[in-house]
């Protein structure tokens, strides 16, 4: 060991970098699961892999004192501009200018050789050269993206270019903190924190507008909670100064973002592996309403569902229910959004019907003659996604041919 355990800044740098490597690895697995054979995804994985290897090797080298790991980390840092150029070409769907490609390749090769020969330890020259090369290469990639022909790309591709450019601009201050020659007074290197924020934003902005808003809100909540937790830890630490507070906030933020990425990826994996209600119906070969309901009965949400026709509704006066349910698809037992007052005869009968079967939802499959499905949704499962699934299931069942039950 090189005494890193006695240096709080070195310990914080190591933890933050290892968390960054973990978060990037999870993001790589997520992207590969979403698009396993995409050409652009492969280019992103190459660039992200270089950054993840940089953080992991750098963190391990500081903990172990290994010169070899430190040189390998610097080699990954020198190769990152080449990875960024590969991603840029993929997004533009065309090659970069030949002179620029040769310059980036030559610069990366020279700096990789310099790192292996140990020139990084000979003063600040290597750090400055690496910083200048990286920022010139990123500026070159940004210029290519900015000067692109928007008509040659789709609207979604143009939007992705702007988002990536904005994220890269926002991450720039974090990347600057990794160069001690440029910012020697920084309490902790924040490059990996910036990378975690970048991949978190990129993974969030891929869905529809409501999903993006929810994802951004969740990400902001996580960041705010992590920073507050770091400040609280600094407050209860005897003799903690400003630099130590910054280190604690960086460590907690990196840990929270890495854990959140891992938890989200694991949750998505579980959701994809477990067949949902709509997935079960989509894969079903059933042709009739009764067969589809039998298929649904295998799902826990519909295991106790009860289907009632005119005969089964005799005690609740179908002649009153039929006109009242015209144009109704799904009713909730709580009475919210019911179009009738509680004292209406139809409302009283429907409330009694759902209470007698302990049903939380009533699905109107047909009006003439009446064909109803009573479903009991547990409180722990009563969320907007379940409500949407019930509405879609009702639509599928309503359009399926059926014999009304006796």
């Amino acid at each position: 060991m090189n005494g890193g355990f006695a240096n709080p800044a070195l310990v914080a740098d190591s933890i933050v970098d290892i968390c960054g490597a973990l978060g990037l690895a999870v993001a790589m697995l997520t992207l590969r699961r979403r698009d396993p054979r995409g050409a652009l995804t492969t280019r992103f994985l190459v660039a992200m892999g270089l950054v993840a290897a940089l953080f992991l090797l750098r963190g391990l080298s500081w903990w172990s004192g290994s010169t070899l790991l430190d040189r390998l980390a610097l080699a990954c840092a020198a190769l990152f501009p080449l990875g960024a150029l590969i991603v840029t070409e993929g997004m533009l769907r065309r090659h970069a200018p030949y002179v620029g490609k040769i310059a980036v390749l030559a610069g990366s090769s020279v700096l990789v050789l310099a790192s292996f020969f140990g020139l990084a330890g000979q003063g600040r020259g290597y750090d400055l050269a690496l910083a200048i090369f990286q920022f010139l290469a990123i500026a070159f990639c940004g210029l290519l993206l900015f000067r692109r022909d928007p008509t040659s790309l789709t609207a979604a591709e143009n939007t992705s270019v702007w988002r990536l450019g904005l994220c890269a601009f926002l991450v720039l201050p974090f990347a600057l903190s990794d160069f001690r020659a440029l910012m020697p007074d920084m309490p902790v290197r924040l490059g990996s924190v910036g990378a975690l924020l970048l991949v978190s934003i990129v993974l969030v902005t891929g869905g529809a507008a409501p999903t993006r808003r929810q994802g951004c809100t969740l990400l902001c909540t996580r960041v705010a909670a992590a920073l507050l937790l770091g400040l609280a830890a600094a407050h209860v630490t005897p003799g903690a100064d400003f630099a130590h507070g910054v280190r604690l906030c960086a460590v907690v933020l990196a840990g929270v973002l890495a854990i959140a990425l891992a938890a989200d990826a694991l949750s998505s994996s579980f959701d994809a592996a477990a067949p949902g209600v709509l997935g079960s119906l989509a894969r079903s070969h059933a042709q009739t309403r009764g067969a589809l309901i039998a298929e649904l009965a295998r799902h826990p949400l519909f295991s106790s569902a009860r289907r009632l026709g005119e005969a089964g509704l005799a005690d609740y006066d179908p002649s009153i229910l039929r006109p009242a349910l015209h144009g109704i698809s799904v009713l909730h037992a709580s009475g919210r959004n019911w179009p009738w007052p509680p004292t209406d005869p139809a409302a009283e009968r429907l409330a009694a019907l759902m209470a007698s079967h302990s049903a939380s939802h009533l699905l109107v499959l047909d009006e003439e003659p009446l064909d109803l499905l009573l479903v009991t949704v547990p409180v722990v499962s009563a969320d907007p996604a379940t409500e949407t699934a019930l509405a879609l299931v009702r639509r599928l069942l309503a359009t399926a041919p059926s014999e009304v039950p006796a």
Side-chain angles (χ1 to χ4, degrees), residues 65-83:
S66 171
T67 302
L68 176 61
L69 292 179
D70 184 58
R71 292 180 178 179
L72 288 174
L74 290 173
C76 291
L79 289 172
F80 172 71
L82 187 59

Side-chain angles (χ1 to χ4, degrees), residues 103-138:
V104 173
L105 180 60
S108 292
S109 300
V110 169
L111 288 172
V112 167
L113 291 175
S115 66
F116 282 127
F117 281 108
L119 298 182
Q122 309 299 319
R124 302 194 309 173
Y126 182 89
D127 283 348
L128 289 173
L130 178 60
I132 292 172
F133 172 64
Q134 284 191 347
F135 288 111
L136 286 178
I138 297 301

Side-chain angles (χ1 to χ4, degrees), residues 270-282:
F270 288 156
D271 291 341
V277 176
L278 298 178
S280 300
L281 287 182

Side-chain angles (χ1 to χ4, degrees), residues 290-301:
L292 285 172
I293 292 176
E295 192 81 23
L296 282 172
R298 303 176 185 176
H299 193 278
L301 197 63

Side-chain angles (χ1 to χ4, degrees), residues 21-31 203 258 261-263 265-266:
L22 173 63
L24 284 172
V26 171
M28 291 170 64
L29 292 174
T30 301
L31 289 177
L203 292 178
L261 286 169
L266 194 60

